[in-house]
Amino acid sequence: MQTSPRHWPHSSPSRALAEVIFTPHQRVKNVIQRCTLPALLPPCRYPEGIKWKFLEHKGPVFAPPYEPLPENVKFYYDGKVMKLSTKAEEVATFFAKMLDHEYTTKEIFRKNFFKDWRKEMTSEEKSTITNLSKCDFTHMSQYFKAQSEARKQMSKEEKQKIKEENERLLKEYGYCVMDNHKERIANFKIEPPGLFRGRGNHPKMGMLKRRIMPEDIIINCSKDSKIPAPPPGHKWKEVRHDNKVTWLVSWTENIQGSIKYIMLNPSSRIKGEKDWQKYETARRLKKCVDKIRNQYREDWKSKEMKVRQRAVALYFIDKLALRAGNEKEEGETADTVGCCSLRVEHIKLHPELDGQEYVVEFDFLGKDSIRYYNKVPVEKRVFKNLQLFMENKQPEDDLFDRLNTSILNKHLQDLMEGLTAKVFRTYNASITLQQQLKELTNPDDNIPAKILSYNRANRAVAILCNHQRAPPKTFEKSMMNLQSKVPPPPAQLWGSRAPSCFVLCHPRTVESKKKAVQRIEEQLMKLEVQATDREENKQIALGTSKLNYLDPRISVAWCKKWGIPIEKIYNKTQREKFAWAIDMAEEDYEF
DNA sequence: CCCAGAACTTAGCACTTTATTG
DNA sequence: CAATAAAGTGCTAAGTTCTGGG
């Protein structure tokens, strides 16, 4: 593919500052023109890792400074009022704001919090406050509850003012210029200080997430751009000009010591092209997946243990859409696993279960400590291999002791350029959607029924990827409401002696009553569809797969084919993110 | 090769806004 | 018009993969 950047207008500060900038729509057209038609190859705008030529932005927005509590809001230690220093008070308020949460009762949370809180105390405070159980934050907590109540009760004007202020901030800091485009920034606000929670059983829960200062911040922009000014009296940690990366701002957080970034919105060129590329890689996998499947089935018989483990792991990744499963540092994070890091304790082997042979029962916590529970019949060879891998091992030993993600991905790289474990998730998700849409869409259905079919196809993918959610708190109640909305059966409309009505009524009345019946039937149908959809969705989250795993061109093509307005499938944000796909996919698009 | 660090994608949930209903 | 529910958005944690240095 021709990738020389000379086909593209070079960025220059003067051009970049111009207000008139390409819309995503126009951008995609440009990309398509540049790429060799008709293949619509994914874009590669610059060679060898260069991400941009020009980048200008205003820097981050910092968290608002701490506002000390009014004098009348008291903290009590051991039953006695105690006035805290500003720093200690600020950290105390973080705890007070969480008082209603279950986790403030958890031992680890309390221990971590207390340790970090003490670091912020003056030496007198430190010597007085030695036991968290003697701290009484309830008055502080009540104050914050009253505050949030007051916020809800604010007048229209006050709310409007806040809204305008946010809009001003967005206008000033929410955009940057990358090459010739004005682009939306995803997270231009620096994360405020607070107590770290983490997901699941996290060993660091309760630790103090410290306040980020300009002195922590690395700014990335181009040399010829207007460098953002640090807040008065402050300096940036560093200003760099690295066009091999896409981030605008970075800092190191203090809980894990990892780097956080400010990057562009999914609607931006740089994210959109990457997304497109991701789906093109998955489509390349489609072409060779049969070969790869045959290969790993062969490898189940290998005399090398490492090869067998690799082949069984890959089978799980392919068949069950498991994540790769990197090793994690013990004690630094919650104990969760993916495929390569599965332990013996996470699977049970059933030579026979419920009339099925060779069943593997999976039970482990995956990303975000979401439980994966599944009983899967597998091929006999896989089952025998698993028995072999588990021989003479303790429950806490690795199932695949000769394997890790780097070995697996190196192998995948040899099978197909750009192939990694996560491509299987993308591929299997997208192909499942396409195939389910074909199977479930009934041409005679009306639009709401077709959309139900779409959601069902989407749901099949979400189930495959194990995208769960907590059932909404009000689920049962809102389900009841929906049921009660179901209108009376049409017969009642005609009165108890329905047939005679035809005789007695004026023809016009009959006509209009027929219409009314039809309207009510439609309404009923819509409600039923809605209820079914909702019930089936109780514990399944559709958003994640829609946003990250499903080639949007499949959905766009489906909408075009059946005359469904795209708005029924994608909301505004999603349409912005998938502008490239909406623009290019025709109704005959095949993943 | 291994490792750590960097960069970037994926994830669920809390909160906010909008739409619906009574 | 207020209350409620649904939809949409923001937030930031938690993954995967890449990179570069020994």
Side-chain angles (χ1 to χ4, degrees), chain A residues 307-416:
Chain A
V307 173
R308 284 199 191 198
Q309 291 194 356
R310 200 180 65 192
V312 171
L314 186 50
Y315 170 73
F316 286 164
I317 284 171
D318 183 20
K319 185 182 171 74
L320 306 174
L322 300 190
R323 296 187 185 82
N326 286 300
E327 295 114 297
K328 301 170 80 186
E329 217 173 323
E330 214 183 314
E332 292 292 302
T333 62
D335 178 18
T336 63
V337 297
C339 186
C340 294
S341 52
L342 279 170
R343 297 191 297 261
V344 169
E345 61 195 315
H346 296 129
I347 65 167
K348 259 194 212 140
L349 301 184
H350 304 280
E352 212 220 290
L353 185 73
D354 305 328
Q356 291 179 306
E357 278 190 313
Y358 308 121
V359 176
V360 184
E361 185 179 354
F362 291 84
D363 191 356
F364 62 89
L365 297 182
K367 182 178 181 179
D368 294 320
S369 293
I370 296 292
R371 185 178 179 200
Y372 184 93
Y373 183 79
N374 201 359
K375 289 179 198 159
V376 196
V378 300
E379 301 198 35
K380 182 174 177 183
R381 270 223 168 76
V382 171
F383 196 84
K384 295 290 169 194
N385 271 314
L386 289 170
Q387 285 179 326
L388 182 67
F389 304 158
M390 289 162 82
E391 253 172 41
N392 303 318
K393 279 188 191 168
Q394 297 300 114
E396 63 277 12
D397 290 340
D398 286 338
L399 176 64
F400 303 116
D401 53 300
R402 311 279 173 91
L403 186 68
N404 61 40
T405 54
S406 139
I407 294 170
L408 179 67
N409 279 334
K410 229 160 263 157
H411 172 65
L412 294 176
Q413 193 60 232
D414 293 341
L415 297 176
M416 185 193 104

Side-chain angles (χ1 to χ4, degrees), chain A residues 13 125 145 181 197 236 454 496 526 530 535 557 587 590:
Chain A
E125 285 166 340
K145 273 186 214 156
H181 308 300
R197 174 57 182 88
W236 302 124
Y454 179 91
S496 50
K526 212 174 150 185
Q530 208 182 0
E535 183 65 46
E587 73 164 71
E590 273 269 340

